[in-house]
Amino acid sequence: MWLPFHTVCLGSRTVSRRSVAAALLKCSKHRENVSLFSHSAAAQTCKALQFRNHGDPSKVVQLENVDLPPIGEKDVLVKMLAAPINPSDINMIQGDWVIPKDAGQGTWRTEAVLAEGDVISLSNDIPLLSAATLGVNPCTAFRMLSDFEELKPGDSVIQNAANSGVGQAVIQIAAARGINTINVVRDRPEFTQLSDRLKAIGGTHVIKEEALRRPEMRELFKSCPKPKLALNGVGGQSATELLRHLQFGGSMVTYGGMAKKPVTVPVSALIFKDVKVRGFWVTQWKRDHSSNGRAFRAMLDELCQLIRQGKLTAPACTEVSLLDFNKALDAAMQPFTSAKQVFIM
């Protein structure tokens, strides 16, 4: 989906900026403005989720018919196959402040016409849900594990929100590289089941947030080194606790703020441990590398190879019809959510 500027709909050419939502697209080139998709060549409209006011997504989002623009000489007609709901999409609908820069089409829709240069190809030999969720969460995890600290086999990473889409990707990519992960999640009735699932995909340790200040952390660090890298998707006290366990000179990278509370950095962490506090937004990374697509292409190729090898799977997903968008939006906003809602067109 695309973030509205004011009275703007998802999927409109007049939207204010690109979304961080991923989607799986099927496209064809065309000759003389005729798509090679015989079933779509004459399509004039598509169904799309739209909103014109900020607010509760389940109340302000509506499923409507949307006119498709004419297909230009360098455009492609794409058919959406699957598109997830990411936390950032929910925040956009609720009403974040933004500076408009880029414009584009939405992904919560059945079809769209996009410029050829605005899409990047993927091999179709990977699972549908893996492909649909590839562009945001795995890319975020990949870059954070690659760009901030030189991590080697045997090193450690600590992260909160470990059951999120990013968290699950971090676990699997790190495991493929021989890196230990200390995975922090909020306490919940099904903690044991969640812990078992995260360990099954490669997590080294799974602990509750309150354990971060307990003596058992000393025991944990007898089996793996203190982390060079902390990944923060929560903010607030949870982020502060991650900082306490970084080794000297380590980095904490913030990519989300689900607690909606600021990150507080203890003075002692800066003075006596010389920690680095950084931020990361995968959309900005893509923009910074838009003039040369080799880095993005190389990352996608490596991620797809991990998928083919069975080392990277999609997060737990709930497949939802576009007609049931209210149900999906409600589910995406529930606490302790481990399943990503994915529209199947």
Side-chain angles (χ1 to χ4, degrees):
M1 45 77 66
W2 304 114
L3 175 63
F5 188 18
H6 180 56
T7 307
V8 185
C9 67
L10 298 175
S12 169
R13 283 280 187 183
T14 60
V15 291
S16 63
R17 61 183 285 267
R18 293 186 185 278
S19 164
V20 294
L24 180 64
L25 317 175
K26 183 177 181 182
C27 70
S28 70
K29 294 184 179 179
H30 61 280
R31 297 191 180 107
E32 298 178 356
N33 291 344
V34 177
S35 168
L36 296 181
F37 281 140
S38 60
H39 70 281
S40 301
Q44 301 296 318
T45 64
C46 75
K47 292 188 181 297
L49 294 182
Q50 305 185 98
F51 69 102
R52 293 175 174 80
N53 299 290
H54 293 305
D56 183 340
S58 64
K59 293 182 173 62
V60 300
V61 174
Q62 299 295 326
L63 181 61
E64 300 180 8
N65 290 323
V66 175
D67 290 335
L68 287 170
I71 303 174
E73 183 177 347
K74 294 187 177 181
D75 291 334
V76 290
L77 176 67
V78 297
K79 177 178 176 60
M80 302 293 178
L81 300 181
I85 300 174
N86 293 299
S88 52
D89 299 319
I90 296 296
N91 292 340
M92 289 177 187
I93 298 170
Q94 290 171 330
D96 286 1
W97 284 7
V98 299
I99 299 174
K101 180 182 178 182
D102 299 323
Q105 297 282 349
T107 62
W108 297 353
R109 56 190 298 153
T110 57
E111 292 181 280
V113 175
L114 304 176
E116 187 174 2
D118 286 345
V119 296
I120 187 167
S121 63
L122 278 183
S123 175
N124 61 3
D125 64 348
I126 61 176
L128 174 68
L129 293 178
S130 293
T133 56
L134 185 62
V136 176
N137 295 161
C139 289
T140 297
F142 185 99
R143 296 262 56 99
M144 293 194 300
L145 288 170
S146 303
D147 296 349
F148 295 92
E149 289 289 338
E150 185 178 349
L151 299 173
K152 300 176 181 178
D155 286 340
S156 297
V157 172
I158 190 169
Q159 65 167 339
N160 54 26
N163 60 309
S164 67
V166 172
Q168 293 178 59
V170 165
I171 290 171
Q172 295 177 86
I173 297 169
R177 298 179 179 182
I179 299 168
N180 298 298
T181 53
I182 303 163
N183 302 285
V184 184
V185 297
R186 290 179 294 175
D187 194 11
R188 63 197 69 203
E190 68 279 10
F191 173 80
T192 300
Q193 297 94 312
L194 175 59
S195 175
D196 291 344
R197 181 160 60 83
L198 296 181
K199 289 179 180 179
I201 63 174
T204 313
H205 301 281
V206 181
I207 62 175
K208 302 173 184 177
E209 281 193 339
E210 52 265 33
L212 287 170
R213 299 208 65 167
R214 290 179 179 171
E216 55 256 40
M217 291 300 293
R218 287 194 290 269
E219 293 298 315
L220 185 151
F221 289 125
K222 290 180 180 178
S223 61
C224 69
K226 283 204 165 188
K228 288 183 177 179
L229 180 67
L231 304 178
N232 168 43
V234 177
Q237 185 64 28
S238 178
T240 304
E241 297 300 338
L242 292 186
L243 275 170
R244 298 182 190 279
H245 297 291
L246 277 177
Q247 62 177 254
F248 183 89
S251 296
M252 183 176 78
V253 181
T254 293
Y255 65 93
M258 289 187 287
K260 298 181 180 179
K261 295 180 180 178
V263 172
T264 302
V265 180
V267 172
S268 59
L270 296 173
I271 296 176
F272 302 117
K273 296 181 69 174
D274 193 26
V275 299
K276 301 179 285 290
V277 181
R278 302 288 301 277
F280 181 74
W281 184 31
V282 73
T283 300
Q284 189 61 52
W285 184 92
K286 292 176 182 177
R287 290 174 183 168
D288 292 342
H289 294 79
S290 60
S291 59
N292 183 347
R294 286 196 294 269
F296 193 16
R297 176 78 268 167
M299 174 173 61
L300 291 180
D301 288 345
E302 187 170 341
L303 290 171
C304 286
Q305 185 61 22
L306 290 177
I307 293 170
R308 294 187 193 97
Q309 295 170 350
K311 296 179 180 179
L312 177 62
T313 60
C317 293
T318 300
E319 300 179 24
V320 187
S321 165
L322 203 62
L323 296 173
D324 294 327
F325 66 91
N326 279 319
K327 177 182 176 182
L329 291 167
D330 280 336
M333 293 186 291
Q334 296 305 309
F336 303 112
T337 299
S338 296
K340 182 176 289 294
Q341 306 294 306
V342 178
F343 292 121
I344 301 298
M345 308 336 180

